[in-house]
Amino acid sequence: MRRSILGVVVAFVSLLTLGPSPAGATTPQEARLRPPAYGSNIHGDQLRNWADPSIVPYNGRYYAYSTHQTGTYARQIMVMSSPNLWDWNAPALAPQDAMPQTPAWARSLNNGGAFWAPSVVRAGGQFVMYFAARHKNVSSSTPGWCIGIATSANPTGPFHPRSTPFFCRVASNGNTPAGFSGTPGANKGALDPQVFRAPNGNLYLYFKALDNLRQLWGVRLSADGLRHVGPGYGFAPLDSQANTWEYSTRLQFTVMENPGMVFNPTPGANRPYVLLYAGGEWQIPDNYGTGYVACETPLSGCTRLTTDRPWLKSRGANAGPGGASAFIGPGGRPWIAFHTYEAGQIMNGNGRRLHVEPLRFAAGKPRLDSRRPTGTIRGSSPGAGEVHLEGTADDPDTGREGVVRIRKDTPTGTLVDTVTTNAAGNWEFDDDSRPANDQRYCAMAVDDNGLSDKLLGCQTITVS
């Protein structure tokens, strides 16, 4: 399989599986977590960090945004783009800063500031970004979080932040619905915003409320995305000492964060709005995963379905899957972006890695969908009795070198040979003993998820 970025190509060799739960279980798990599309130490030794990802499609490209990066290559909000969700245009060490201007109300990165979980939507003829930041009027040792808004004419920015926060706190200790406060509080506030456009075009913003019985909240937005319409609504209350998988062993209370809504397009779904969220402790990935709440509407009729275990959890080389956000991907289908650490590389400067996956739904519950390989075939006869075939083969689900079956005459004809791609996804086949007439070959890419072989094409070659 090819995984090229900035001319650097690396093949992944890990195949990661999550065992499905028994029939009838309330929280079925995914079949597998695939390797990342972008991140630390997967395209060379340079730092590539992409925490709390979100993705927006626009004019044939996908624009990905990420939480800040510190150090020599500090960025407040990172952005990069791709034509296909695999080949990203980020420079070697750090992508472009989508919001280089520090909001007037927020602490800067060099003064204890932070800019988390950006989420972008096109509304009112411009791009509107929501992000979380620490308010400068609260000590950096007891940060007060607020959600801010920034706007831009272009998806890559620069995004210009508004001079005051969108809001800082839910004006309630647990009651729902509730209003909002623009006053920050020590160790309190709102963070992890994710914007969602419902099928009827209405916009909603989901976020985490600190120090609230209901940690996950949502509110409807105006058509231009710049105001909230009506009160906020809390979802899925969970006691701070509940003995569930969301309990953080380090913090010693339950954690639910990074809410992001996705719509289940299955006709007749009882609860078609699925709110993904992260739970547990992000600094201890074995205690961190992704769950979901299913809702009748974008703001009501919600039930937490992942009560016994997370939907996605650490397995193999992928540690702490979280920060999930939905977007419309190829084919107009729902996809999600999320991040993981590389196992054994946690909190040591390597950062988190971007994953992108298509979704499907079964019995109202989300699944990571399998994708079949793609590729090409070309044929020629370089000399008497000689046949040469070459092409490419990519399977985005696994990152392994591809396997191609060469068959005679038809896609189901006699198997002639099996070849493997190199790290760049290229394959070759030679036959030097063919009689002088027309020879027809077909190339079939093997799918590592067990789907049927994918026809890359057939070639008829005249041999002299």
Side-chain angles (χ1 to χ4, degrees):
M1 291 65 180
R2 287 175 299 169
R3 294 290 179 88
S4 63
I5 182 167
L6 305 175
V8 180
V9 185
V10 175
F12 301 98
V13 296
S14 60
L15 178 60
L16 311 174
T17 60
L18 290 175
S21 57
T26 59
T27 57
Q29 296 203 32
E30 275 314 309
R32 72 214 284 132
L33 287 177
R34 286 87 172 196
Y38 180 91
S40 296
N41 299 324
I42 66 171
H43 295 296
D45 294 330
Q46 305 286 19
L47 172 65
R48 295 177 183 275
N49 182 36
W50 214 261
D52 305 320
S54 64
I55 293 179
V56 172
Y58 181 68
N59 279 356
R61 292 189 71 85
Y62 298 91
Y63 294 85
Y65 305 88
S66 169
T67 278
H68 78 266
Q69 180 169 292
T70 58
T72 303
Y73 302 96
R75 301 289 188 272
Q76 294 192 148
I77 298 292
M78 295 193 291
V79 61
M80 62 182 179
S81 68
S82 169
N84 54 16
L85 297 173
W86 294 117
D87 301 305
W88 297 95
N89 69 347
L93 290 172
Q96 178 178 341
D97 196 333
M99 190 182 70
Q101 177 186 353
T102 300
W105 57 269
R107 286 186 173 275
S108 62
L109 286 179
N110 59 11
N111 189 30
F115 300 91
W116 286 2
S119 181
V120 176
V121 68
R122 182 165 172 78
Q126 62 183 345
F127 293 90
V128 182
M129 174 188 287
Y130 308 87
F131 60 92
R134 292 171 175 166
H135 202 288
K136 66 181 182 181
N137 291 348
V138 181
S139 167
S140 61
S141 63
T142 57
W145 289 93
C146 300
I147 290 174
I149 289 180
T151 57
S152 174
N154 301 300
T156 55
F159 283 82
H160 303 286
R162 303 174 97 184
S163 59
T164 58
F166 188 27
F167 59 86
C168 294
R169 299 168 61 186
V170 173
S172 164
N173 195 33
N175 292 331
T176 183
F180 298 93
S181 169
T183 303
N187 289 323
K188 298 179 181 180
L191 64 158
D192 293 345
Q194 284 291 332
V195 65
F196 167 71
R197 188 182 294 278
N200 64 1
N202 289 341
L203 292 177
Y204 297 85
L205 189 71
Y206 300 89
F207 60 95
K208 173 186 173 65
L210 291 172
D211 296 330
N212 198 293
L213 173 62
R214 290 175 172 84
Q215 299 182 54
L216 309 180
W217 285 74
V219 63
R220 185 177 167 186
L221 299 174
S222 58
D224 61 7
L226 301 179
R227 296 175 293 107
H228 54 78
V229 178
Y233 291 84
F235 307 95
L238 194 62
D239 186 88
S240 66
Q241 297 301 307
N243 185 24
T244 65
W245 65 269
E246 293 97 339
Y247 185 81
S248 167
T249 56
R250 184 181 72 90
L251 299 174
Q252 298 188 340
F253 54 80
T254 56
V255 174
M256 302 171 76
E257 58 190 20
N258 281 114
M261 186 68 82
V262 59
F263 179 73
N264 173 7
T266 306
N270 291 329
R271 293 189 177 94
Y273 295 91
V274 178
L275 186 71
L276 306 175
Y277 68 92
E281 172 51 52
W282 67 272
Q283 293 182 337
I284 308 175
D286 286 344
N287 183 218
Y288 196 67
T290 298
Y292 57 86
V293 174
C295 301
E296 295 173 3
T297 79
L299 295 174
S300 66
C302 302
T303 300
R304 173 172 153 264
L305 296 185
T306 46
T307 56
D308 300 326
R309 56 188 177 185
W311 171 51
L312 301 178
K313 68 176 184 178
S314 299
R315 283 295 173 92
N318 291 330
S325 63
F327 65 99
I328 300 301
R333 301 174 54 197
W335 285 53
I336 61 168
F338 62 95
H339 66 235
T340 67
Y341 284 103
E342 181 180 359
Q345 304 291 331
I346 290 102
M347 299 298 292
N348 63 358
N350 278 349
R352 282 166 282 183
R353 310 171 306 169
L354 169 66
H355 297 248
V356 286
E357 302 288 352
L359 287 181
R360 62 182 177 86
F361 292 85
K365 299 169 185 177
R367 300 285 187 274
L368 301 185
D369 206 3
S370 296
R371 288 164 283 172
R372 300 184 69 194
T374 61
T376 61
I377 179 176
R378 297 177 297 276
S380 63
S381 179
E386 297 180 357
V387 167
H388 175 76
L389 297 175
E390 63 183 16
T392 62
D394 299 291
D395 189 334
D397 283 340
T398 62
R400 292 168 173 246
E401 287 87 351
V403 176
V404 178
R405 294 187 175 108
I406 308 300
R407 295 189 176 274
K408 197 70 173 67
D409 298 324
T410 70
T412 58
T414 302
L415 179 64
V416 177
D417 200 0
T418 299
V419 297
T420 302
T421 65
N422 60 21
N426 301 314
W427 59 268
E428 291 185 305
F429 166 78
D430 290 290
D431 191 344
D432 299 332
S433 58
R434 303 311 302 168
N437 54 29
D438 287 348
Q439 303 289 328
R440 183 171 174 80
Y441 296 84
C442 297
M444 310 293 296
V446 177
D447 183 85
D448 282 350
N449 280 338
L451 301 178
S452 60
D453 291 356
K454 174 67 179 296
L455 174 65
L456 301 182
C458 297
Q459 289 279 294
T460 299
I461 302 166
T462 301
V463 178
S464 57

